[in-house]
Amino acid sequence: MTDFYQLKVLEVKKETADATSIAFDVPLALYKTFNYKPGQYLTLKFNIGGEEVRRSYSLCSSPALEEPLRIGVKRVKDGLVSNYINDNIKVGDLVDVMLPNGRFFAELKKDNYKTYYLFAAGSGITPILSILKTVLLTEERSFVHMLYGNRSQDSILFNEELEKLQKEYADRFILVHTLSRPKSNWSDLWLSGKKDKIHRKGRVDTLAIEWFINEYPPYAQNTEYYICGPGTMIENTKKALQDIDVPNERIFIESFGGVTSSDVTEGIDNASLVAQLNGETIKTTISNGKTILRTLIDAGKNPPYSCEGGVCSTCMCKLKSGKVHMKNNLGLDKSEVDKGYILSCQSIPLTEKIEVIYE
Amino acid sequence: MHELPVDAYTSQEWFNLEQEHIFSKTWQFAGLVEDVANAGDYISVQAGLNNIFIVKGKDNRLRAFHNMCRHRGTQLLRAVGKGKKAITCPYHDWTYNLEGKLVSIPKKEEEFPDLCNKELHDCGLNLHEASVDIFKGMLFVHPEKDAPNIMEFFGEVEPYLGPHIPEELIEYQEKKDGAFYTKEINANWKIIVENYIDQYHLAHLHEDTLNMYDHAKAEFGWAGPHYYFFEPLVPEYLADVKNASPYPLMDKMPEDKMGAYVPWLFPNIGITESESAWNTFHAIPLAPDRTLVVIRSKTMNVSEWEYTKQYTKSMSSKVWQNIGNKGKYEGDASDPMASGNFMEEDVYACEQQQKSLSSPLFSVGAQAKNGEFAVRKFQSVVKEWVEKYRDND
């Protein structure tokens, strides 16, 4: 599961001023192995400045189409990897890629008859675009109602592709853009006339969601709600849906970091760690500030991980004794936490002794 | 010749079998989407042996539950409270949330100390869930929580339906909350269905009442368990339809598709989709020899003035001098065959056929190969549904 494969870059496409999409060539022999569900991501490994770094990027391609695997990468301010990719990756490069993974996906069936509500903000469009295309292609009777938030017209990712889908599936696909700082001046309106895309002004927030669902109520009554964007957008959207009594089991979320929380909890200095990993019992010390995962990596071990952002849950392990603090947990639900599972990439020790097992 | 025994039309045993194995196992018509228009609106409908409660949440999604409080089983559910976020039974005020989960029991600690030591919603006393969905502007319910989806049931017949968009039409009601037509008919429900899908009788029983449609050009057949039917207007009517139509014409209907779409959706809901009206025809079995027919009618959503204008034009159109409103026979208006009303003609034929079923000499002598093919097909579908389960019982 945590093996890497070398894939060749097939295409590098500038999507907006600060975002690129990268398509990979999957050799025929690996075609099946690299099968994925719409909404999942790829984990990429780079060596930047002598340090090994991994990042996960959602696939925006659709497994229902015979198209190459494609990820979208938007520059993050001061982001190490996103800027590296945007600046350096070119056609023909070989990149270390893990198999598609992730718990955010839509389980689609040809005969399904559902209404999918998709909420995306910014680069959160990537997995949503994959779900969108795959629903429209696979489920001939299902409907998609999508609300997509951006700063302005210029920052809309995959705009062309979205417009094409809107035309092609006009009877089943509703798309509303909401822009927090729309560019508009009279001369533009004059030029584009009626062709100008109608958009809503504002963010993807409670008001926008209530308005959207009242304006576009579901026809097929079996509904699902998919949300992807930065942390606050996820929280707001989920809360807005809960406020109008959407049950939790119909809501699916994927967080794209952005939770630079004001979390100041500090761990215990030099706590002892006993970890069972791949049949080995490792005894070491967690130096101040480090996570359980980093401690093991720095000790030369090979724990499973991919996003290192508290989202993907690849690094999940079970706490056998001691207490930890998770800086960020977007991967585990309450029942898993209750059973003692933790995200090792986010866990710092709160007790002198910590014992974990990677199952 | 006849796929079903005479018993199937007269006996309580067959009636019970159908209630259990057909009407309690299929998607059942429950009304029109506007019946549950706003958050908190609810209705309950009888669907075979089940009474199903439909409520709309603030998320605009419909939920369906068996209308039966889990306390004493009372059929009393209603949506209450500010924001209509709760479903309650007024008998003892047991309360459920919009997902059907039990959320409160009055005097729980004193009266039910041993009920269950978990959270209320984990006590196995949540409302029984059912399914609800929308097809062509109509509500349908299914008693199972994980019912096969509604488009698996209706998908095959959908392409044969008219271009009408019922959600955009308005209901014609003579009195508030009253259906356009309600009548208890003294015949088994299948007699009524068979009459509805019998193409052979159109040119005969309705010789002078439905002759604005071109029966010779009727196209009909079977899709899934459903019947579909279309026939165009007769040329004379078509030529002047803009004036002659009794109501404003359907705007969604292109001229080359002008006519009547009259499908029958299994088991008991017909639609009549014409150039100027869109009707549901719900046949509800009451007893082996009694059926309630409820027709709801929708027409174009235009002003009263448009209707007045259209009526005036229609009255003065020459078309109706020759066709459409004469009885088959001349006579007293109390004779259905002289009424000039095709519904009266049909009711009359159905009731008279039912009467014959008790005769020891009754038999169906022959069946028209094309015009009555649907009658035979319908009987075989009924038989299939009943036998599918009866053999397993």
Side-chain angles (χ1 to χ4, degrees), chain A residues 111-113 141 213-214 217-221 223 225 243-247 250, chain B residues 58-63 85 99 132-134 136-137 149-152 155 167:
Chain A
D111 288 335
N112 275 353
Y113 180 61
R141 291 182 173 126
I213 288 182
N214 286 326
Y219 202 84
Q221 295 297 301
T223 55
Y225 307 79
D243 285 348
I244 54 169
D245 298 323
V246 173
R250 292 180 182 271
Chain B
K58 281 210 266 182
D59 55 4
N60 283 296
R61 188 170 59 85
L62 299 167
R63 288 103 163 120
K85 280 165 107 70
E99 299 314 307
V132 56
D133 221 319
I134 299 170
K136 194 149 191 177
N149 84 52
I150 193 163
M151 291 310 289
E152 280 179 41
E167 292 92 326

Side-chain angles (χ1 to χ4, degrees), chain B residues 16-26 49 385-387 389-390 393:
Chain B
N16 295 346
L17 283 171
E18 289 171 346
Q19 284 297 309
E20 187 181 349
H21 299 310
I22 296 178
F23 297 100
S24 303
K25 284 173 179 154
T26 45
L49 304 175
W385 274 80
V386 169
E387 284 184 351
Y389 295 101
R390 192 153 64 161
D393 284 351

Side-chain angles (χ1 to χ4, degrees), chain A residues 178-190:
Chain A
T178 181
L179 304 173
S180 55
R181 290 185 197 171
K183 287 191 178 169
S184 70
N185 53 54
W186 289 106
S187 58
D188 281 354
L189 286 174
W190 177 253

Side-chain angles (χ1 to χ4, degrees), chain B residues 293-329:
Chain B
V293 168
V294 179
I295 298 177
R296 293 178 70 174
S297 183
K298 296 181 97 170
T299 49
M300 281 295 291
N301 189 2
V302 292
S303 67
E304 202 69 29
W305 171 235
E306 291 295 326
Y307 278 90
T308 310
K309 275 198 301 191
Q310 189 65 42
Y311 178 77
T312 315
K313 282 194 285 183
S314 176
M315 289 301 281
S316 55
S317 167
K318 288 204 177 76
V319 171
W320 305 122
Q321 289 173 7
N322 306 318
I323 55 176
N325 44 15
K326 236 179 32 245
K328 185 174 171 83
Y329 303 130

